[in-house]
Amino acid sequence: MAEGISAVPIVDLGPLVRGGPDKLTAARAIDQACRGSGFFYVVGHGVDEALAARLDALCRAFFAQDLDRKMEIRMEKAGRAWRGYFPVGGELTSGKPDLKEGIYFGAEHEDDHPRVRARVPLHGKNLFPDLPGFREAALAWMAEMIRLGHVILEGMALGLGLPASYFSERYTADPTILFRAFHYPPPDGDAEGWGVGEHTDYGLLTILRQDDAGGLQVKSGGRWVEAPPVPGSFVCNIGDMLDRMTGGLYRSTPHRVHNRSGRNRLSLPFFFDPGWDAEIQAIDTSRADGRADERWDRQNVHEFRGTYGQWLLGKVAKVFPELGQAAGVT
């Protein structure tokens, strides 16, 4: 990726969604994108646009409320589950407050779930806004994103020359999922106003629905490339654990958000990641090239040994230090 890219590629998932004989065409396009930028748009994904529009409207209605109303579902109320609302500046990236507010959701875990009983962080019930239809729309959206995640990872497996079920059998039969709704207000005055600073994502795959405000930037070849909105698409990028699995063949690419539109920006990222207890293993151990000096955080993800749950806890505790301390994660 030394030379970098001039634009984020677009992949038509239609062949993979339909499951026809031409699905290798989409798989090769995904593989090429992952070897290059680590970012790609997907179209032909089959996600209902009416559902997307409904969720968009509900999220905007929530963020338009007074802060006191939004704080009724603040993250502190969910405790170890790490679900609910945080205000602008409440989340850190690289130790700096982000210029955004948001809501965290995940899989719905009842009180009798084994990990809830064991008080494992990031497991529990969601805190849904008290808006008619929000809970139903959010749960339907997460189900669609899980479906889409399986489709994309099947394409990745085929692109890597692996069985189509490689990821679903080893890592995502019971995936760790995180769905977030982010609102980026426009910066005040002349403030630079980074919505999210430079970072990489933690897991396997991120599937992002962005609105038409723009602001997403991808680092490629040492420079920043815009990832402007493409109507009806999702932006996908690979995370640190896929970087780890492929020995750096697929790079987890740094990205950031700068809302320069002068208006509110809504972002709906979904993180489709390995199961909590899944042991992260290299697909090709001969490729373990960490190149930590090239990463934004100078970390060598290829040195990690353990389960995805262990990796994720260490990361999330840095994003919300107070919650991490309360959950006993350091």
Side-chain angles (χ1 to χ4, degrees):
M1 205 168 74
E3 295 183 359
I5 59 167
S6 59
V8 176
I10 299 176
V11 176
D12 182 2
L13 287 183
L16 279 165
V17 172
R18 293 189 298 269
D22 57 345
K23 63 183 180 181
L24 280 178
T25 302
R28 293 190 190 101
I30 292 173
D31 178 64
Q32 185 175 5
C34 291
R35 292 170 184 257
S37 66
F39 265 76
F40 53 97
Y41 298 93
V42 294
V43 296
H45 43 69
V47 176
D48 184 3
E49 285 297 314
L51 173 60
R54 186 161 68 251
L55 184 61
D56 181 285
L58 286 164
C59 288
R60 291 181 190 278
F62 171 78
F63 289 122
Q65 297 179 117
D66 292 337
L67 180 59
D68 288 346
R69 185 69 187 276
K70 290 182 284 192
M71 291 294 283
E72 291 176 1
I73 59 166
R74 60 188 179 275
M75 294 187 75
E76 288 81 1
K77 287 192 172 183
R80 292 171 177 266
W82 262 317
R83 314 289 173 85
Y85 171 77
F86 67 89
V88 174
E91 180 170 301
L92 307 181
T93 299
S94 302
K96 298 180 180 179
D98 296 331
L99 185 58
K100 73 175 188 293
E101 59 181 336
I103 324 174
Y104 270 40
F105 304 99
E108 277 279 79
H109 298 123
E110 297 299 328
D111 293 340
D112 60 353
H113 189 284
R115 295 195 190 109
V116 176
R117 292 203 309 266
R119 295 175 57 77
V120 176
L122 273 75
H123 292 77
K125 292 181 179 179
N126 288 295
L127 298 178
F128 292 106
D130 186 19
L131 292 172
F134 198 111
R135 181 181 189 277
E136 293 76 13
L139 291 175
W141 186 258
M142 286 191 278
E144 273 291 88
M145 292 301 98
I146 290 172
R147 177 195 65 79
L148 182 56
H150 283 299
V151 169
I152 296 169
L153 285 184
E154 178 184 349
M156 283 189 184
L158 292 172
L160 286 164
L162 302 168
S165 60
Y166 182 88
F167 291 106
S168 62
E169 288 182 352
R170 289 166 175 78
Y171 294 107
T172 59
D174 180 22
T176 300
I177 61 169
L178 295 172
F179 167 46
R180 300 165 184 176
F182 290 146
H183 165 233
Y184 299 81
D188 292 329
D190 296 327
E192 187 177 57
W194 287 105
V196 180
E198 180 178 354
H199 68 286
T200 55
D201 294 339
Y202 310 145
L204 278 180
L205 173 68
T206 302
I207 307 172
L208 168 69
R209 182 80 175 200
Q210 60 173 338
D211 68 6
D212 61 358
L216 176 63
Q217 299 176 344
V218 177
K219 198 171 191 179
S220 181
R223 62 190 181 89
W224 291 99
V225 177
E226 298 287 337
V230 173
S233 75
F234 291 90
V235 183
C236 298
N237 65 277
I238 59 181
D240 292 338
M241 288 299 93
L242 193 57
D243 191 329
R244 159 81 173 85
M245 291 175 191
T246 63
L249 181 65
Y250 289 1
R251 290 285 179 188
S252 52
T253 305
H255 50 288
R256 63 188 185 184
V257 174
H258 190 189
N259 182 14
R260 296 166 294 176
S261 66
R263 53 193 172 89
N264 296 318
R265 177 182 188 267
L266 185 69
S267 170
L268 303 175
F270 182 86
F271 303 87
F272 187 65
D273 293 333
W276 189 262
D277 296 321
E279 290 277 347
I280 306 302
Q281 303 288 337
I283 296 171
D284 181 356
T285 56
S286 68
R287 285 196 50 88
D289 171 16
R291 297 203 301 199
D293 59 320
E294 295 186 6
R295 278 180 58 93
W296 63 281
D297 58 358
R298 300 295 187 264
Q299 184 178 21
N300 187 346
V301 299
H302 300 268
E303 293 179 344
F304 173 73
R305 301 292 184 273
T307 66
Y308 183 65
Q310 291 169 332
W311 171 261
L312 183 58
L313 282 180
K315 293 292 185 177
V316 175
K318 293 180 181 178
V319 175
F320 294 103
E322 292 183 1
L323 288 174
Q325 292 171 6
V329 180
T330 57

